[in-house]
Amino acid sequence: MNEIVHKTMGQQSGRRSWAEPWKIKMVEPLRTTSRAEREKALVDAGHNTFLLHSDDVYIDLLTDSGTSAMSDRQWAGMMLGDEAYAGSRNFYHLEQAIQKHYGYEYIVPTHQGRGAEHLISQTAIRKGQYVPGNMYFTTTRLHQELAGGIFVDVIIDEAHDPSNLHPFKGNVDLAKLEALIRQQGAANIAYVSLATTVNMAGGQPVSMANVKALRELCDRHKIRLLLDATRLVENAYFIQEREAGYAGKSIAEISREFCGHTDGAWSSAKKDSLVNIGGWLAVNDWTLFEELRNLVVVYEGLHTYGGLAGRDMEAMAIGIEESMQDQHVHSRIGQVRYLAELLQDWGIPMVLPVGGHAIFLDARACYPQVPQSAFPAQTLAAELYLDSGIRSMERGVVSAGRDPATGDHHYPKLELTRLTIPRRVYTQAHMDVIAESVKAVYDARGAARGLKMVYEPKYLRFFQARFEPL
Ligand SMILES: Cc1ncc(COP(=O)(O)O)c(C=O)c1O
């Protein structure tokens, strides 16, 4: 008799299994739909997954932003909201959490990351100045451009190659940065805009050695080094795993050391920090802080709430603490890796090494017959939704937008469909269902024809653009 011997996931990989460091106390039912319902929903949404109603979505991998499950402690913290207009105790708790874990002195809360990006861009950029960064992020670059800045990508070349296995593909190319400073003069550089991890490159990390070298370079030219710390904790995990001398250090220690090489940071707390809404700015320079604190009251709210309720700030303070725990980060990145390894074994092309928050499918490699002008990554996201109700998002030519000078599409080298894993939300069984759906869509890849854009908004077009099949 042919007897099947079942194996746990750990056993299949020849190791002991690991599990999430929490158990589930409350559940939210998921809705499944028929193929006919999904076809209608997709047409109604103009083939843009951002325009789907979430009730029509089965497993939602649109984003890891604001989609985390909060802990019982965070929910308890919500009940401790001090909803005073000024000087809420929750602000001081948040201030302490940021000072302790990120190490900056002066804190400004904002309603989310782009609120912080707006304030720092308006404050730290003079019209016509250059802003070098390790690949762009959509909202970050737009705020820099709206403030009159000229963004310049100075990430290492390896970041633009989806199959290059460089362990720190988020690193800044110091030679590219030096060349820009030489050409334009240090006075014409507003600041260096460093992101951890690099979302658009596939969630790729920056090494500690790179940020140290950047610090020295910036000091030499008297240029500020500002950090987008949105996924710093995930970046710290990769440093712990890959960089010599860091295996014995905790995520909290590595995060704090990394920030110590920078002059300030902003963050969308909707990612690492495990909240549904919130963001912040933090700097060490009092003069810069004074300007930020002054501007926040114009656009966000008083400097002790910045567009947030007291309860939101409390949940964020507790979330920051929880996000720094090694076991949490291990299980979060471990889940992303589990899904990635299945897909890799099945030959599905993706950005490698796999980053911390998502799997980025290489849509160009999936659909070589679809030219970039027919939006391969948008097409793949639409096909995945049709197959199973799983919602992913485009990170390719649609997200890249247009060149403000020429009006042409930016044609990024990376044409990716992002499967973003929310933190503490889905189980290993969900990962299996996702993997099988991606495989089914990949197996049918020959039939894809692409899309045409029939409506294009002026700003951040990927959110609201509409498409029709070719
Ligand atoms: C790296 C990075 N920076 C900034 C932001 C903007 O933050 P928010 O969505 O909270 O405005 C995001 C959001 O996706 C991000 O991924």
Side-chain angles (χ1 to χ4, degrees):
M1 203 171 81
N2 216 356
E3 225 177 89
I4 298 172
V5 178
H6 295 287
K7 284 188 167 181
T8 67
M9 276 317 304
Q11 287 166 344
Q12 287 176 40
S13 306
R15 55 167 170 76
R16 290 292 290 264
S17 292
W18 54 265
E20 288 78 4
W22 38 259
K23 57 185 177 176
I24 297 167
K25 188 164 355 204
M26 189 187 284
V27 296
E28 178 182 341
L30 294 177
R31 177 171 171 255
T32 49
T33 48
S34 66
R35 173 123 190 156
E37 284 172 317
R38 292 196 292 278
E39 277 168 6
K40 179 172 181 322
L42 194 64
V43 170
D44 290 348
H47 286 72
N48 185 347
T49 51
F50 275 103
L51 299 179
L52 288 166
H53 293 209
S54 81
D55 277 346
D56 295 327
V57 171
Y58 173 37
I59 299 176
D60 204 345
L61 307 182
L62 185 72
T63 177
D64 63 329
S65 181
T67 53
S68 298
M70 291 210 297
S71 67
D72 52 358
R73 274 139 233 256
Q74 285 177 291
W75 280 109
M78 297 286 276
M79 297 305 291
L80 301 176
D82 169 12
E83 307 307 342
Y85 188 89
S88 158
R89 85 174 70 89
N90 311 115
F91 166 74
Y92 297 107
H93 188 191
L94 173 65
E95 187 182 51
Q96 279 165 13
I98 297 171
Q99 285 169 340
K100 174 178 165 196
H101 286 294
Y102 295 84
Y104 305 109
E105 223 163 312
Y106 308 116
I107 317 299
V108 177
T110 58
H111 79 282
Q112 60 181 77
R114 71 199 70 179
E117 289 170 342
H118 175 218
L119 301 182
I120 194 74
S121 302
Q122 293 296 329
T123 312
I125 300 173
R126 265 185 293 108
K127 204 169 172 353
Q129 277 188 317
Y130 291 83
V131 189
N134 53 343
M135 200 174 268
Y136 80 101
F137 183 70
T138 52
T139 56
T140 318
R141 184 178 68 186
L142 181 60
H143 280 296
Q144 289 163 348
E145 288 173 353
L146 289 172
I150 303 160
F151 177 80
V152 183
D153 182 9
V154 291
I155 203 165
I156 56 172
D157 287 341
E158 288 87 336
H160 294 281
D161 173 359
S163 58
N164 189 298
L165 293 176
H166 192 296
F168 291 103
K169 269 166 109 172
N171 280 354
V172 168
D173 184 328
L174 300 173
K176 282 187 196 169
L177 181 56
E178 281 272 20
L180 180 75
I181 298 169
R182 219 176 311 115
Q183 271 164 20
Q184 307 300 342
N188 288 321
I189 309 290
Y191 55 87
V192 174
S193 179
L194 181 72
T196 51
T197 55
V198 183
N199 191 350
M200 302 300 281
Q204 303 296 332
V206 175
S207 69
M208 193 70 84
N210 192 246
V211 73
K212 269 188 208 164
L214 257 180
R215 173 77 271 162
E216 282 167 24
L217 196 155
C218 287
D219 280 348
R220 237 182 306 126
H221 295 283
K222 297 193 173 41
I223 296 171
R224 271 194 194 122
L225 176 54
L226 298 178
L227 176 67
D228 179 342
T230 296
R231 295 185 185 81
L232 174 69
V233 164
E234 291 172 6
N235 198 98
Y237 180 85
F238 291 118
I239 291 177
Q240 189 186 59
E241 180 183 64
R242 299 175 188 171
E243 196 161 353
Y246 288 92
K249 292 199 176 172
S250 68
I251 296 294
E253 286 167 328
I254 298 169
S255 300
R256 178 91 196 224
E257 181 180 332
F258 198 100
C259 291
H261 296 297
T262 67
D263 296 304
W266 68 90
S267 175
S268 167
K270 299 168 72 176
K271 283 82 168 176
D272 266 1
S273 307
L274 300 163
V275 285
N276 305 123
I277 195 72
W280 51 263
L281 261 166
V283 294
N284 289 328
D285 174 347
W286 171 261
T287 316
L288 180 59
F289 171 62
E290 274 215 297
E291 283 183 55
L292 293 166
R293 191 176 57 168
N294 195 214
L295 207 59
V296 73
V297 300
V298 181
Y299 292 107
E300 300 278 312
L302 197 72
H303 60 283
T304 54
Y305 77 83
L308 294 165
R311 56 181 173 269
D312 298 327
M313 292 190 283
E314 189 61 29
M316 206 189 323
I318 299 168
I320 287 172
E321 201 64 57
E322 291 180 1
S323 75
M324 293 284 168
Q325 291 164 9
D326 284 49
Q327 272 200 14
H328 157 70
V329 193
H330 180 200
S331 78
R332 190 276 182 287
I333 292 183
Q335 187 178 46
V336 175
R337 241 175 227 178
Y338 169 72
L339 175 59
E341 282 167 1
L342 284 176
L343 297 177
Q344 242 180 298
D345 286 353
W346 301 342
I348 291 156
M350 69 181 76
V351 174
L352 295 173
V354 172
H357 67 302
I359 288 148
F360 289 71
L361 302 176
D362 184 349
R364 227 202 269 257
C366 290
Y367 294 149
Q369 75 277 23
V370 178
Q372 212 174 1
S373 56
F375 313 115
Q378 190 80 30
T379 307
L380 185 54
E383 291 298 329
L384 198 54
Y385 175 72
L386 275 182
D387 179 74
S388 57
I390 290 169
R391 169 154 72 170
S392 56
M393 82 142 91
E394 194 263 11
R395 278 300 182 221
V397 64
V398 184
S399 295
R402 291 184 186 271
D403 184 322
T406 65
D408 292 340
H409 289 305
H410 283 295
Y411 282 104
K413 285 196 187 133
L414 300 179
E415 179 68 30
L416 310 171
T417 302
R418 189 177 84 179
L419 309 173
T420 336
I421 313 298
R423 296 164 185 80
R424 310 194 290 205
V425 171
Y426 292 114
T427 66
Q428 191 159 305
H430 290 114
M431 297 302 120
D432 290 342
V433 169
I434 297 161
E436 289 175 20
S437 177
V438 173
K439 183 169 182 331
V441 170
Y442 183 65
D443 288 346
R445 61 193 178 279
R449 292 287 158 267
L451 297 165
K452 67 175 175 205
M453 202 188 298
V454 293
Y455 167 68
E456 179 176 358
K458 187 167 167 202
Y459 297 119
L460 302 174
R461 63 186 184 174
F462 57 95
F463 284 131
Q464 289 156 340
R466 299 185 71 83
F467 303 83
E468 282 174 5
L470 281 172

